[in-house]
Amino acid sequence: MRQDPLQVLQGAMRPSPTVGMPRLVIAGATGVLGNEVLRRLVGGGTFSLAQVLAREPITAGLRGVQAAVVPAAEPGEWPLVQADVAVVMFDPPRLFYDRERALWTPLPGQLPALAQWLRSSGVRTLAVVLPHAPGRLPEALKRGLASLDEHAVARLGFERLLILRSAQKPVAATQAGALARLARWMLSTVHYMVPSSEQPVRAAKVAELLAIALRTAPPGIHVAAPEVMWEAAQGQAPAVAARWLGSA
């Protein structure tokens, strides 16, 4: 069920004890997905503090949310923060949102260095939402580590590593040239050959499954295949999460 923004704001403003509650840091709190994840995690009252990585100072609009300004250097050169849980996403910022233009969003190739920085900052639980082209991920890689970068992250010693493979919606090409639009139209015919279980799902559903996994996942590495994401989006996220995480 989608949370009402007013309820989220009221929940964030309600005083509550924070002693002993974990601290959260989010890299890539941009785009529709980043907005949904931030609202759900902050509104859930699970964390004493949520820090969003930013390129320049911003004023957070929610209680318990702060901007952690990082320098222009690579993550390995950043000063450390204090956090227990981290979420990494790769949605580009929507440039018509002033807040999102100020936020820092990682590139996929920066994941190992970012993960190392997070681990050095005390993060014990890392969740990564990894976009992929629908129908392009080989079957053997859907449920396990799919690249050298992911293997490098897994070797860093996180208590819990959650990887959610979320099918990426095609990017609009209104500003592209005629040849680029023609090529995109020709490739779009492949869309009808991709099973429905590998199609993109709503950002709110991805955020819901992520929030459940952060609450309930046992120690270890847990990879959600595209089929898991799609099944959770059909309205049975708690049950799907229990089966995925081995607690059913």
Side-chain angles (χ1 to χ4, degrees):
M1 178 182 296
R2 183 185 178 90
Q3 290 182 307
D4 183 83
L6 181 58
Q7 293 178 342
V8 173
L9 289 171
Q10 290 173 338
M13 296 177 64
R14 188 180 302 119
S16 60
T18 60
V19 177
M21 296 173 63
R23 296 157 296 183
L24 171 70
V25 60
I26 301 180
T30 51
V32 177
L33 177 60
N35 187 56
E36 290 287 349
V37 168
L38 182 62
R39 291 198 305 169
R40 181 171 288 273
L41 295 185
V42 172
T46 306
F47 301 99
S48 62
L49 174 67
Q51 302 174 82
V52 293
L53 300 186
R55 296 183 291 106
E56 57 189 70
I58 60 173
T59 301
L62 291 175
R63 179 180 177 273
V65 178
Q66 293 181 358
V69 179
V70 295
E74 287 298 303
E77 303 176 31
W78 293 350
L80 300 180
V81 298
Q82 296 297 319
D84 307 287
V85 178
V87 175
V88 176
M89 296 168 288
F90 300 94
D91 273 12
R94 296 169 292 185
L95 297 182
F96 47 87
Y97 283 84
D98 289 338
R99 178 188 67 87
E100 292 192 10
R101 290 202 302 269
L103 295 179
W104 184 83
T105 303
L107 299 173
Q110 293 176 306
L111 178 58
L114 176 61
Q116 178 64 71
W117 177 75
L118 291 168
R119 188 70 188 93
S120 299
S121 294
V123 170
R124 300 189 302 272
T125 295
L126 172 62
V128 185
V129 181
L130 283 171
H132 67 89
R136 303 287 183 86
L137 194 64
E139 193 69 31
L141 300 180
K142 289 179 180 178
R143 296 168 181 82
L145 302 176
S147 68
L148 293 177
D149 284 352
E150 293 179 22
H151 280 277
V153 173
R155 289 195 295 267
L156 293 176
F158 290 99
E159 292 180 12
R160 301 189 301 169
L161 175 60
L162 308 172
I163 297 178
L164 286 71
R165 302 203 186 284
S166 178
Q168 191 174 33
K169 292 182 179 180
V171 179
T174 54
Q175 302 299 322
L179 289 178
R181 291 197 299 270
L182 175 61
R184 187 177 296 273
W185 174 80
M186 295 176 66
L187 290 173
S188 69
T189 59
V190 179
H191 169 84
Y192 299 101
M193 302 172 62
V194 177
S196 59
S197 61
E198 295 188 25
Q199 297 287 352
V201 300
R202 290 172 52 204
K205 296 300 182 180
V206 177
E208 180 184 14
L209 181 62
L210 173 62
I212 294 172
L214 287 176
R215 289 197 309 268
T216 63
I221 299 173
H222 308 279
V223 181
E227 294 86 348
V228 173
M229 307 293 293
W230 181 85
E231 187 180 1
Q234 307 313 302
Q236 300 294 329
V240 172
R243 290 196 299 271
W244 164 41
L245 300 171
S247 55

